[in-house]
């Protein structure tokens, strides 16, 4: 089933980040260790710690969005851990940083294990202007822990 993306949004707490048009979760991975030994014909692997990846999101620059874009810029400058960001892919369903130990994500993304409360940090933001277009802004958030899907 395809998802129509125009119902997506990015929020910080109760506030929708103004003018966002895309978000992308990438780089979720697990450490991989070669556990092969002498005499093996095929490599064998053990898996270690997981990396929650990064979320990038961008849209049109709005310097009046003090509870959204400006708050995220300040979070970057202050190195603030964010626990209340949500990345919606429809009107009611979203990804967010896990906020409880032992949380089991809904559906097929269940971690099946205890986790510590997770957070995100805005590790970079970029603002750009072109004489022939609108001002743009983009953010990159590094996930510390795991994002879970809600609803």
């Amino acid at each position: 089933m395809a998802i129509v993306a125009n119902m997506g949004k990015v929020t910080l707490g109760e506030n929708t980040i103004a003018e966002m048009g895309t978000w992308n979760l990438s780089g979720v991975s697990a450490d991989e260790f070669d556990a092969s030994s002498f005499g093996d014909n095929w490599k064998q692997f053990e898996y270690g710690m997981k990396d929650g990846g990064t979320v990038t999101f961008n849209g049109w620059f709005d310097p009046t969005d003090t509870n959204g874009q400006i708050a995220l810029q300040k979070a970057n400058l202050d190195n603030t851990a964010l626990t209340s960001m949500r990345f919606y892919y429809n009107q009611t369903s979203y990804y967010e940083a896990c906020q409880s130990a032992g949380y089991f994500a809904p559906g097929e993304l269940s971690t099946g294990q205890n986790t510590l409360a997770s957070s995100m940090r805005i590790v970079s933001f970029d603002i750009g202007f072109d004489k022939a277009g609108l001002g743009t802004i983009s953010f990159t958030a590094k996930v510390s822990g795991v994002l879970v899907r809600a609803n």
Side-chain angles (χ1 to χ4, degrees), residues 2-47:
I3 300 288
V4 177
N6 69 335
M7 294 298 174
K9 65 181 175 180
V10 180
T11 63
L12 178 60
E14 298 298 317
N15 303 299
T16 297
I17 309 298
E19 305 295 334
M20 292 295 104
T22 65
W23 67 262
N24 181 55
L25 170 60
S26 63
V28 178
S29 62
D31 291 340
E32 186 177 352
F33 304 104
D34 184 346
S36 308
S37 58
F38 294 123
D40 288 346
N41 291 320
W42 292 90
K43 286 187 175 184
Q44 297 178 34
F45 295 93
E46 294 292 331
Y47 297 93

Side-chain angles (χ1 to χ4, degrees), residues 39-109:
D40 288 346
N41 291 320
W42 292 90
K43 286 187 175 184
Q44 297 178 34
F45 295 93
E46 294 292 331
Y47 297 93
M49 297 178 69
K50 292 164 184 53
D51 184 331
T54 59
V55 183
T56 56
F57 50 105
N58 61 64
W60 307 120
F61 178 61
D62 182 354
T64 66
D65 183 24
T66 57
N67 293 319
Q69 292 186 19
I70 303 304
L72 292 176
Q73 292 174 52
K74 185 169 177 13
N76 169 265
L77 296 173
D78 295 342
N79 200 26
T80 303
L82 303 171
T83 58
S84 63
M85 288 193 71
R86 290 182 175 172
F87 299 90
Y88 286 80
Y89 57 91
N90 64 30
Q91 291 178 329
T92 58
S93 301
Y94 54 87
Y95 287 89
E96 69 178 348
C98 178
Q99 288 305 298
S100 60
Y103 182 88
F104 290 89
E108 67 276 5
L109 295 181

Side-chain angles (χ1 to χ4, degrees), residues 59-64 69 73 125-138:
W60 307 120
F61 178 61
D62 182 354
T64 66
Q69 292 186 19
Q73 292 174 52
F125 66 91
D126 298 293
I127 300 171
F129 287 90
D130 183 303
K131 67 181 180 303
L134 300 174
T136 60
I137 191 165
S138 63

Side-chain angles (χ1 to χ4, degrees), residues 83 97-103 114-120 144-146:
T83 58
C98 178
Q99 288 305 298
S100 60
Y103 182 88
N114 289 334
T115 60
L116 298 175
S118 301
S119 64
M120 288 179 265
S144 178
V146 63

